Amino acid sequence: EVQLVESGGGLVQPGGSLRLSCAASGFTFSTYSMNWVRQAPGKGLEWVSYISSSSSTIYYAASVKGRFTISRDNAKNSLYLQMNSLRDEDTAVYYCAREGREGYNWNYSFDNWGQGSLVTVSS
Amino acid sequence: IQLTQSPSSLSASVGDRVTITCRASQGISSYLAWYQQKPGKAPKLLIYAASTLQSGVPSRFSGSGSGTDFTVTISSLQPEDFATYYCQQLNSYPLTFGQGTKVEIK
């Protein structure tokens, strides 16, 4: 069974930093691209960042570019999101999400999501 | 690429046929997915590639469209289908979601 478990969320002051982790199990993590998606309280979904299986390709949303860094450790089956210079508007539940596949090819979806980790930015 | 869902919310009864629309600001071929989200839970993939049903999703869900106009239809609404539905374009980065459609009990 595919499992994605986020951790590392919490309360942080504006301007502070936080590192989220996503522990993956039940699949060959090193062969899948991964994403972070966030959801502010009572709001919709916002894609945050993408990392390819080998970390060779990375993308960010404009709202976090230059402040957030996505990374992964395939030996530890883990995905990370380093968040710096946090702002009030970064308050959200952060989900890690796996790319969907048909065979070896991306099927243009996110087929498995973690339960989310709440990040609250407030003084 | 902006995605606009309509309606933003709707009220329907069990057994009703429900259709939600997602319009893209530019052509995205068939690179569109639909998700269902219930309060306090992670989104769940329903449909990918605009019309392919994800494994395990009931056949009362169906998707259609290509280019800029897409729909998801629930043929006979069930109690467990009351939730918020999101479309997502995966044609190009940054990936984007529609604003969501909340399906409520009438």
Side-chain angles (χ1 to χ4, degrees), chain A residues 58-117:
Chain A
I58 286 173
Y59 298 114
Y60 296 101
S63 57
V64 306
K65 195 169 187 178
R67 301 187 299 121
F68 289 12
T69 302
I70 191 171
S71 63
R72 63 191 295 162
D73 185 336
N74 287 340
K76 294 183 177 180
N77 292 334
S78 292
L79 175 72
Y80 306 103
L81 187 68
Q82 176 67 43
M83 303 183 293
N84 298 331
S85 304
L86 282 161
R87 306 167 179 167
D88 290 352
E89 56 265 33
D90 296 319
T91 294
V93 173
Y94 286 74
Y95 297 99
C96 61
R98 189 187 81 164
E99 65 168 2
R101 287 270 189 86
E102 277 192 350
Y104 294 103
N105 300 315
W106 185 31
N107 69 6
Y108 296 90
S109 74
F110 295 173
D111 70 349
N112 280 272
W113 299 61
Q115 86 288 349
S117 183

Side-chain angles (χ1 to χ4, degrees), chain B:
Chain B
I1 297 173
Q2 292 186 341
L3 297 179
T4 304
Q5 289 183 229
S6 60
S8 296
S9 65
L10 65 91
S11 295
S13 301
V14 172
D16 284 353
R17 181 181 181 89
V18 169
T19 297
I20 300 168
T21 297
C22 178
R23 176 163 288 175
S25 59
Q26 63 189 73
I28 58 171
S29 186
S30 296
Y31 300 130
L32 188 104
W34 288 97
Y35 301 88
Q36 177 194 66
Q37 187 180 34
K38 296 181 178 179
K41 299 295 187 181
K44 173 188 172 184
L45 175 65
L46 297 177
I47 290 166
Y48 61 91
S51 60
T52 304
L53 202 64
Q54 171 70 351
S55 176
V57 174
S59 59
R60 64 181 178 272
F61 290 91
S62 63
S64 65
S66 66
T68 60
D69 295 311
F70 302 87
T71 61
V72 63
T73 298
I74 310 172
S75 60
S76 177
L77 199 64
Q78 297 302 300
E80 60 267 31
D81 301 336
F82 291 95
T84 301
Y85 293 83
Y86 294 93
C87 57
Q88 180 197 27
Q89 70 82 16
L90 302 106
N91 180 73
S92 61
Y93 289 89
L95 305 183
T96 47
F97 291 89
Q99 82 278 14
T101 295
K102 187 173 184 179
V103 176
E104 298 177 300
I105 300 172
K106 195 172 196 177

